[in-house]
Amino acid sequence: MDDLLTYNYLAPSALLKDNGSEALFLSQYSEIQKSTDVPCFFLGRVKEPFTMARCLVALSNVVKSSFNLSPFQLALLKDPIVTAGNSCVRFEGFSHCAGVYARVDLLADALDGEFLANGTTNVDFNQPMLTALSSIQNNENVMLSIGQKEVGLDVEGKTVVERKVPLPVKWIKGLSSVQIYLSQSEISHTFNKIQTQQLFRSMPKGQVKTDYFLVIKGNTPLFSPMKSEGAICLGGLHRLRLLEPLLPFIKQLQVFAHSEMQATTWQFSFGSLRFSLSLSRDPWRGFSGEGATLDALIDNVSQGWMDIFEQNAYANQTFDPSLFTIKESLYLSKTENVSAQLAAMGLLGFDLNDNVFFYRQLPFKISRIMQLNPRLKGAEKLIAGNKVEIIQNTLGRIEARVEGSGIFHTVIFDGNNQRCTCEWYGKHQGARGPCKHVLAVKKIVMV
């Protein structure tokens, strides 16, 4: 069970009804606790409760789905992560296979309440609450509370309600990796409601095993098995059906594509609410194993940096490394890769609409992030065993020989190009992050 983290909640989440009003209380848990004595992060009224409820149910459907796992693994229910602060609330979650990432953004205009604190927790989405969400109508008065407002505790009488929720380690890796892909994505298309419905009607039935392409014919967007110039490529097209329950309510669809087509993001707009769905390149590839964060993790972020960051960062706040540097009188050279580094550690999310990173403290210890990359640990082992020999290190070119299991691999850096003679590089050609041999050479050269 090394791939699960078990969290204990003091009380289950609940939707409570009283005198015609409804209040949604999300139970919280975190391995880390910022100093705060307030009962919850946010408490207030949701202006569009029906839309919010539909989006949260859709997010739960993503979390309960899988596209490459066994029925036994599917039986494990996972719960979303929520960040409250800076006048907005964000819910995040992955499919079981970590190949689909979903996020619900409740912007400032969607909420009427008070942010008593800011932070991120893993929340409890139990079945009774999901059933209640499904029954919410738009004319109802719904209050949203992030974090339990009040919890009764009777230790001797053992009246505390406890709920154990398994959280996959691959979620932690996925939450850091997917932000790197989002930051490298650009908007490709914007469709209105009618165009979006036409696009989804062109989707083939059943499980799609081959690549499909988003193409435009006249003014009509279509999914086609035939590639054309400028078309967006995606594998596992059937995963987009997770969005179908939201189609009747959307205002527009924006499509974002990764610069090398390693991910696509499909964002539904509901005015003051947004629902985003990001797909990995293929259904059998989870964001947790893509290796997008490995380059950023080579150069460790010092504890001093982290202490300063913790003092200045607030949930959902835009992160600008230049302003951060000026405020703390640090050298700009130290911040050139800091956004990627902090995102790789799970401390930053990415907002595609504003094209900025935002702070969100994951409810996991940072040390856990650093321990979840076997290729990085493999590189450190190679260095510790003196198995890396730098043969050439001149301007623009590096050549090294790395000892493997009964074989030597050659690593060459030529400008921005990196290649290795190992099987991993031969199979993926660098599309899924660097191999451990390339990482080892990088770490030595950077010292």
Side-chain angles (χ1 to χ4, degrees):
M1 301 296 288
D2 291 339
D3 60 343
L4 292 179
L5 308 179
T6 300
Y7 285 172
N8 298 330
Y9 292 85
L10 292 179
S13 297
L15 186 97
L16 306 179
K17 295 187 178 183
D18 183 23
N19 296 327
S21 296
E22 295 179 307
L24 177 62
F25 293 99
L26 299 179
S27 184
Q28 64 169 322
Y29 182 88
S30 177
E31 286 184 356
I32 54 173
Q33 298 292 342
K34 269 195 171 182
S35 56
T36 176
D37 296 325
V38 298
C40 61
F41 295 143
F42 170 80
L43 177 63
R45 183 177 65 89
V46 179
K47 295 181 179 180
E48 300 181 54
F50 177 80
T51 304
M52 180 203 70
R54 299 285 81 74
C55 287
L56 292 182
V57 170
L59 177 63
S60 177
N61 289 336
V62 172
V63 168
K64 291 187 291 185
S65 67
S66 178
F67 299 91
N68 69 357
L69 297 184
S70 67
F72 171 77
Q73 292 167 312
L74 276 172
L76 298 174
L77 182 64
K78 312 298 185 296
D79 292 331
I81 290 168
V82 58
T83 302
N86 199 28
S87 300
C88 67
V89 174
R90 305 179 194 267
F91 293 83
E92 300 173 90
F94 278 92
S95 60
H96 286 237
C97 54
V100 181
Y101 166 74
R103 191 168 81 210
V104 179
D105 294 329
L106 278 69
L107 307 179
D109 290 342
L111 303 167
D112 181 14
E114 184 178 359
F115 285 85
L116 305 175
N118 68 89
T120 304
T121 65
N122 187 57
V123 300
D124 170 28
F125 262 33
N126 50 65
Q127 189 55 47
M129 191 192 72
L130 291 174
T131 301
L133 282 172
S134 299
S135 67
I136 288 179
Q137 301 300 314
N138 216 29
N139 58 352
E140 294 180 305
N141 186 20
V142 175
M143 301 292 290
L144 174 66
S145 172
I146 307 299
Q148 196 68 295
K149 185 178 180 181
E150 182 177 353
V151 177
L153 185 64
D154 184 354
V155 177
E156 294 184 1
K158 299 181 180 179
T159 58
V160 173
V161 179
E162 182 180 81
R163 175 179 170 85
K164 296 182 179 180
V165 179
L167 185 70
V169 164
K170 65 173 61 178
W171 273 38
I172 308 176
K173 296 175 66 177
L175 280 167
S176 57
S177 297
V178 74
Q179 311 306 325
I180 303 297
Y181 283 120
L182 292 178
S183 68
Q184 297 169 351
S185 299
E186 295 184 357
I187 187 168
S188 299
H189 299 286
T190 299
F191 302 125
N192 59 33
K193 183 173 183 177
I194 294 177
Q195 290 175 311
T196 302
Q197 292 174 339
Q198 291 173 329
L199 175 64
F200 275 76
R201 282 198 293 268
S202 72
M203 191 183 304
K205 296 181 179 179
Q207 183 172 334
V208 182
K209 297 183 178 180
T210 59
D211 286 345
Y212 262 70
F213 302 88
L214 171 57
V215 299
I216 309 296
K217 291 188 177 181
N219 196 38
T220 303
L222 299 169
F223 290 119
S224 170
M226 303 298 295
K227 183 179 181 180
S228 61
E229 185 177 356
I232 294 177
C233 176
L234 65 157
L237 174 64
H238 53 282
R239 294 178 291 175
L240 280 182
R241 291 198 184 94
L242 290 165
L243 290 171
E244 289 181 335
L246 298 176
L247 281 174
F249 317 112
I250 71 163
K251 293 185 177 180
Q252 73 173 18
L253 164 66
Q254 289 184 303
V255 183
F256 300 82
H258 181 258
S259 56
E260 297 179 359
M261 295 297 175
Q262 295 302 308
T264 57
T265 298
W266 308 74
Q267 185 182 93
F268 280 176
S269 173
F270 303 91
S272 58
L273 289 87
R274 295 195 296 250
F275 187 98
S276 303
L277 192 80
S278 299
L279 304 181
S280 60
R281 176 62 182 84
D282 296 294
W284 48 268
R285 286 168 57 174
F287 285 109
S288 58
E290 291 301 274
T293 64
L294 291 174
D295 281 323
L297 290 174
I298 291 176
D299 187 12
N300 295 330
V301 179
S302 69
Q303 186 58 48
W305 256 97
M306 296 311 305
D307 292 341
I308 294 173
F309 185 71
E310 281 290 309
Q311 294 170 7
N312 289 274
Y314 295 92
N316 288 331
Q317 181 185 45
T318 298
F319 177 73
D320 187 330
S322 299
L323 295 178
F324 180 56
T325 300
I326 294 172
K327 183 174 182 179
E328 296 301 329
S329 301
L330 298 173
Y331 292 110
L332 183 62
S333 61
K334 293 184 179 181
T335 69
E336 291 178 351
N337 197 35
V338 71
S339 292
Q341 288 175 310
L342 294 174
M345 298 168 69
L347 297 178
L348 299 180
F350 192 81
D351 190 311
L352 283 165
N353 299 82
D354 296 332
N355 198 36
V356 294
F357 282 99
F358 63 87
Y359 174 69
R360 60 106 151 80
Q361 175 68 71
L362 285 179
F364 325 111
K365 296 176 181 177
I366 294 175
S367 59
R368 197 185 297 278
I369 297 284
M370 307 300 289
Q371 297 168 1
L372 296 178
N373 294 282
R375 273 180 269 168
L376 193 60
K377 289 194 289 186
E380 293 174 347
K381 187 176 180 180
L382 289 172
I383 295 173
N386 295 318
K387 295 185 177 182
V388 181
E389 179 186 0
I390 305 298
I391 299 175
Q392 178 185 355
N393 188 356
T394 58
L395 184 63
R397 181 179 172 84
I398 298 172
E399 182 176 346
R401 186 172 65 171
V402 183
E403 183 180 350
S405 300
I407 190 173
F408 285 91
H409 302 290
T410 300
V411 173
I412 296 178
F413 296 172
D414 190 358
N416 293 325
N417 297 320
Q418 308 165 10
R419 55 187 190 273
C420 179
T421 57
C422 72
E423 183 179 353
W424 174 269
Y425 181 85
K427 182 178 181 180
H428 301 292
Q429 297 294 308
R432 301 188 65 185
C435 63
K436 63 181 180 181
H437 312 104
V438 169
L439 288 171
V441 174
K442 280 188 175 183
K443 286 183 74 70
I444 288 179
V445 172
M446 288 174 59
V447 173

